[in-house]
Amino acid sequence: MSDPNLLTSDVEEALRAGVRDLLADKADADAVLGRVESSSPLDMDLWRTLVDLGATSLPIPESLGGQGAGWREAAVVAEEVGRAVAPVPFLGSTLATAALLHLSDDTDAQEALKSMASGESVVVLAIPLSGPVDGPLARTVRSVADAGVATRFLVPADGGLHLVEAASVEPVVSLDLTRPVWDVTFADSGVRLTGSGESAVDSALLAGSAMLAAEQVGIAEWCLTTTVAYLKQRYQFGRPVGSFQALKHRLADLWQSIVLARAAALNAADALATSSADTRVAVAVAQSLCSTVAVRAAEECVQLHGGIGMTWEHPAHLYLKRAKADELALGTPGKHRATLASLVNLPG
């Protein structure tokens, strides 16, 4: 078994720079705040630009119209999406991509992947944001992320995975305004894809959790960078607030936590990309760590910005809400720690 590669390549850094520049231009703080206040909370023009860039189809093979890259590259995009809290259907699409890749011998799954890679359609895995619910095909699935812009859904039921069109979607009040959720109602069972739906959903949850960890690193790094910059320019008692030792220690501790979180997230993405036997352990470690680090970084960002951090006009609240929502998405940190304990034969 090879050691994990925790260093990013020149190609990955070039991808990061390209996506970061695009999001800085199209999804700055004012644009995101304006978007969440509108009747169309997800920015589909930005999503189409990401599709054209190839940033949404990185794990999809070239034979199916994708980039033929892997989950490490997808994690780079996820991190930058988190850094900008970009209002795009990245998570829902990522979950669907991973599930369809698991069933890629099925011709309907192949066609769905092709349409996703080209931007012709947006396919979303129809599970609650908090995680899947076992049982027969449900007529309504509640709190599905990115469902409002989906053209088709993958619905897990009765051990299979069904490709279905929605009869209706109803928006639900969400904590995270940049990743809204909808209740989805289906009129029929659609097309059942060949293969194990349970295994496909399991693959989707592993990939989605790894991408969430990368996103949480992006959230945390934005919060730290923005807070440090603010404390350097905010003066109190004739000196920068950031020069006070107590605040220096808090930020140094936060930086150390983010470094550890970045290593864990990259390890999870690398394990996923290389199909490592330790993938489940790596993802559980990453999610249990990155979730808490992102929330802590966002809380520090709001508090250390003082009064301005509490205002609607400052984007800090968007990062806190995304961090809190991500903490609950696809399983809580406690659930991931319990999974880790079971995998390494420790008491839960």
Side-chain angles (χ1 to χ4, degrees):
M1 186 182 300
S2 60
D3 293 331
N5 179 9
L6 301 185
L7 299 176
T8 53
S9 67
D10 292 341
V11 171
E12 289 165 352
E13 287 304 317
L15 173 63
R16 183 191 310 281
V19 174
R20 185 177 298 184
D21 288 346
L22 171 65
L23 295 179
D25 182 47
K26 303 290 186 182
D28 61 11
D30 290 339
V32 175
L33 280 167
R35 175 64 58 177
V36 300
E37 293 176 323
S38 73
S39 59
S40 302
L42 292 178
D43 189 344
M44 296 310 292
D45 289 335
L46 174 58
W47 179 250
R48 280 186 284 272
T49 303
L50 288 168
V51 170
D52 293 341
L53 186 65
T56 64
S57 59
L58 289 163
I60 299 176
E62 290 181 285
S63 60
L64 297 177
Q67 301 304 305
W71 290 111
R72 283 179 61 102
E73 291 81 3
V76 170
V77 177
E79 183 179 332
E80 295 308 314
V81 167
R83 188 187 304 275
V85 287
V88 292
F90 185 82
L91 178 61
S93 179
T94 296
L95 290 167
T97 297
L100 288 168
L101 285 173
H102 189 82
L103 303 177
S104 58
D105 289 338
D106 183 278
T107 54
D108 289 309
Q110 292 172 8
E111 290 304 314
L113 286 167
K114 289 179 182 178
S115 68
M116 292 176 72
S118 67
E120 179 183 345
S121 67
V122 177
V123 182
V124 167
L125 183 63
I127 60 173
L129 183 59
S130 58
V133 178
D134 296 330
L137 185 65
R139 186 171 181 271
T140 299
V141 181
R142 303 196 179 280
S143 300
V144 180
D146 306 324
V149 297
T151 51
R152 287 184 291 177
F153 293 86
L154 286 173
V155 185
D158 302 320
L161 203 58
H162 303 252
L163 194 58
V164 187
E165 293 185 2
S168 67
V169 292
E170 293 294 332
V172 179
V173 176
S174 173
L175 170 64
D176 180 8
L177 302 177
T178 63
R179 178 172 285 148
V181 295
W182 285 263
D183 290 344
V184 187
T185 300
F186 304 101
D188 56 58
S189 59
V191 177
R192 180 167 178 146
L193 303 179
T194 304
S196 170
E198 293 177 354
S199 296
V201 171
D202 186 57
S203 294
L205 293 175
L206 270 179
S209 295
M211 296 305 104
L212 271 180
E215 177 178 289
Q216 287 158 344
V217 171
I219 293 169
E221 290 211 331
W222 182 92
C223 291
L224 176 62
T225 301
T226 303
T227 303
V228 169
Y230 177 76
L231 294 183
K232 285 180 178 179
Q233 67 184 28
R234 176 73 169 90
Y235 274 69
Q236 190 73 13
F237 305 111
R239 56 190 288 196
V241 173
S243 66
F244 294 116
Q245 189 178 51
L247 299 188
K248 286 181 178 180
H249 286 179
R250 285 171 66 171
L251 293 174
D253 287 344
L254 181 57
W255 174 83
Q256 184 181 43
S257 297
I258 293 173
V259 169
L260 292 174
R262 169 175 287 283
L266 187 52
N267 181 48
D270 185 73
L272 196 65
T274 58
S275 301
S276 168
D278 291 329
T279 299
R280 293 183 184 281
V281 171
V283 170
V285 169
Q287 262 299 292
S288 59
L289 175 61
C290 296
S291 293
T292 54
V293 170
V295 171
R296 179 186 163 202
E299 290 174 341
E300 291 279 45
C301 180
V302 170
Q303 184 176 17
L304 295 180
H305 271 80
I308 193 175
M310 307 293 179
T311 64
W312 179 266
E313 290 75 18
H314 195 280
H317 67 93
L318 296 177
Y319 287 84
L320 178 58
K321 292 168 184 173
R322 173 67 73 90
K324 289 298 291 183
D326 278 2
E327 185 182 32
L328 303 176
L330 309 183
T332 64
K335 180 178 179 180
H336 289 290
R337 285 192 290 270
T339 298
L340 179 61
S342 67
L343 290 171
V344 296
N345 299 317
L346 293 177

